[in-house]
Amino acid sequence: MDEALLRSLTPGVLAILVRRGADFAAAEDAVQDALLQAVRVWPADPPRDAKGWLVTVAWHKFLDATRADAARRRREDLVDEEPAPGTAPAVDDTLRLYFLCAHPSLTPASAVALTLRAVGGLTTRQIAQAYLVPEATMAQRISRAKRTVSDVRFDQPGDVATVLRVLYLVFNEGYSGDVDLAAEAIRLTRQLAAAIDHPEVAGLLALMLLHHARRAARTAPDGSLVPLAEQDRGRWDTALIAEGVGILQSALARDRLGEFQAQAAVAALHADAPTAEETDWVQIVEWYDELTRLTDSPVVRLNRAVAVGEADGPRAGLAALAALDASLPRYAAVAAYLHERDGDLATAALLYAEAAHKAPNLAERDHLTRQAARLNARGCR
């Protein structure tokens, strides 16, 4: 271990954390924790970019410490407000709040946005990213929704489809965003599935379980993202996969296909493949065709382009991608991957760098930056 290198990098890493908004004392603690992790990890697995590694790990340490401290303060603040011991209700009212916020006087889009903000706890920025709209636009939408329901009685719950959309977006933010809401979304969807016999409720629950089963394998010990094809499938939760597949099969047998069942079918095909190379991409393309018919979503079309590239070759994938709007989130990342598979490393490196610049979170940005650096290093040989 090169201790002189670590000492020389420390001031620069500390300065970057402070510029990102960390106070100096907390940044110092985070950098020290990152240095200790470097001492443990680097001898066996030295990073290509030592400073970048330290910045990434130190920032994660800072975020973890900040969240833990905030949670501790909240617990301390609530001690005096705790009710006297007594019989607790068997079921909380969270799911009922989801239905009440999905009020019939609101459009489905406004109801989803209001529920995510008021009950789901997501920020306006997170909701805007989920809907692919500017943050200012989403802020106006939420404000209008609040004004609409300010004078109405909340005695007319909304429909199941709107609540499912909310739960789906909460899970996605919890699965890939800054706030861990995935387990809560699964809990509420289980409650809904127990109360309502609906194939799309079952489809959403299956989708959540199949994605959640892979969660432990999605990040490396240093916090970096691990792409699906490179994940250690031995770390996937086989019990959750079996449960998700069983729920999905029962839902599909009712022959009332919906968006969440189709998405769960794609997830099940990934979960069923012993290795990435054995993935049934042809069938995945067929399910994306169904999803396109059901939703006509640009995000679905983007994912379909990836599947086409795997099933029919990267040039077919690039042809499918060419029909889409290049401003779509993660468009550049998909284009980079397909160009790399087609052998155009220079273009792929540029696109990975562009995608990193547009990435919605630090972990994704670091992953895409490493991909660009990897290809640039290969090009210099």
Side-chain angles (χ1 to χ4, degrees):
M1 170 62 63
D2 191 339
E3 295 183 5
L5 173 62
L6 289 177
R7 285 196 298 271
S8 69
L9 292 175
T10 298
V13 175
L14 184 59
I16 289 173
L17 263 65
V18 171
R19 285 200 300 272
R20 289 183 176 180
D23 66 82
F24 190 81
E28 276 191 319
D29 291 341
V31 172
Q32 289 300 317
D33 288 341
L35 293 174
L36 289 174
Q37 187 163 332
V39 170
R40 292 194 299 270
V41 172
W42 286 11
D45 186 20
R48 292 191 180 92
D49 178 2
K51 184 176 181 180
W53 189 97
L54 285 172
V55 169
T56 299
V57 174
W59 183 248
H60 282 299
K61 298 286 186 184
F62 165 72
L63 292 178
D64 290 343
T66 300
R67 291 165 183 155
D69 187 56
R72 176 186 58 77
R73 288 198 301 271
R74 284 197 298 272
R75 289 194 298 271
E76 291 173 353
D77 291 341
L78 290 171
V79 166
D80 294 335
E81 300 175 16
E82 289 183 356
T87 303
V91 180
D92 64 51
D93 290 329
T94 307
L95 191 59
R96 175 171 168 75
L97 290 175
Y98 273 66
F99 273 93
L100 291 178
C101 282
H103 196 272
S105 63
L106 297 172
T107 65
S110 294
V112 169
L114 178 62
T115 313
L116 289 172
R117 187 74 185 92
V119 187
L122 273 64
T123 66
T124 303
R125 177 184 59 83
Q126 290 168 324
I127 301 168
Q129 288 176 346
Y131 269 89
L132 311 179
V133 299
E135 184 174 348
T137 301
M138 184 53 66
Q140 292 174 355
R141 184 179 298 177
I142 293 171
S143 294
R144 285 196 300 270
K146 289 179 179 178
R147 288 195 299 271
T148 299
V149 300
S150 60
D151 296 323
V152 302
R153 291 173 56 85
F154 280 89
D155 55 2
Q156 292 180 278
D159 66 349
V160 174
T162 301
V163 174
L164 286 179
R165 176 62 51 189
V166 175
L167 290 169
Y168 173 67
L169 292 173
V170 169
F171 176 81
N172 278 348
E173 190 60 42
Y175 189 68
S176 60
D178 301 325
V179 183
D180 188 356
L181 298 167
E184 174 68 357
I186 291 174
R187 183 183 73 84
L188 293 173
T189 307
R190 284 190 186 280
Q191 283 188 13
L192 188 58
I196 299 176
D197 183 18
H198 192 297
E200 272 294 82
V201 176
L204 178 58
L205 179 56
L207 175 64
M208 290 179 175
L209 295 176
L210 289 165
H211 278 305
H212 208 59
R214 302 200 301 259
R215 190 169 189 181
R218 293 184 70 245
T219 55
D222 64 358
S224 60
L225 290 180
V226 180
L228 176 61
E230 300 171 19
Q231 289 175 14
D232 177 2
R233 299 184 179 222
R235 299 184 65 196
W236 290 0
D237 188 327
T238 54
L240 280 184
I241 290 173
E243 182 184 3
V245 169
I247 292 171
L248 173 63
Q249 288 174 338
S250 296
L252 291 176
R254 300 177 65 175
D255 198 23
R256 289 168 54 195
L257 183 64
E259 171 187 355
F260 296 120
Q261 295 169 74
Q263 287 194 54
V266 172
L269 286 167
H270 283 298
D272 188 53
T275 65
E277 293 74 22
E278 294 174 87
T279 304
D280 189 346
W281 286 107
V282 172
Q283 194 171 167
I284 288 175
V285 171
E286 292 174 355
W287 278 112
Y288 275 126
D289 288 339
E290 290 287 349
L291 267 171
T292 300
R293 180 181 61 80
L294 289 166
T295 68
D296 197 28
S297 162
V299 175
V300 169
R301 292 181 182 275
L302 188 69
N303 290 332
R304 180 184 178 279
V306 176
V308 169
E310 298 289 353
D312 301 326
R315 294 195 179 182
L318 287 168
L321 189 66
L324 304 179
D325 186 345
S327 66
L328 274 173
R330 297 187 172 88
Y331 180 100
V334 171
Y337 174 73
L338 292 171
H339 276 289
E340 180 184 357
R341 288 210 47 225
D342 195 38
D344 187 352
L345 303 189
T347 299
L350 290 172
L351 287 166
Y352 276 129
E354 177 187 339
H357 179 71
K358 298 177 179 178
N361 56 66
L362 180 63
E364 191 170 331
R365 180 164 68 246
D366 289 344
H367 170 71
L368 293 166
T369 300
R370 283 193 295 271
Q371 296 296 89
R374 173 178 59 81
L375 293 187
N376 284 327
R378 285 177 61 182
C380 293
R381 291 175 185 171

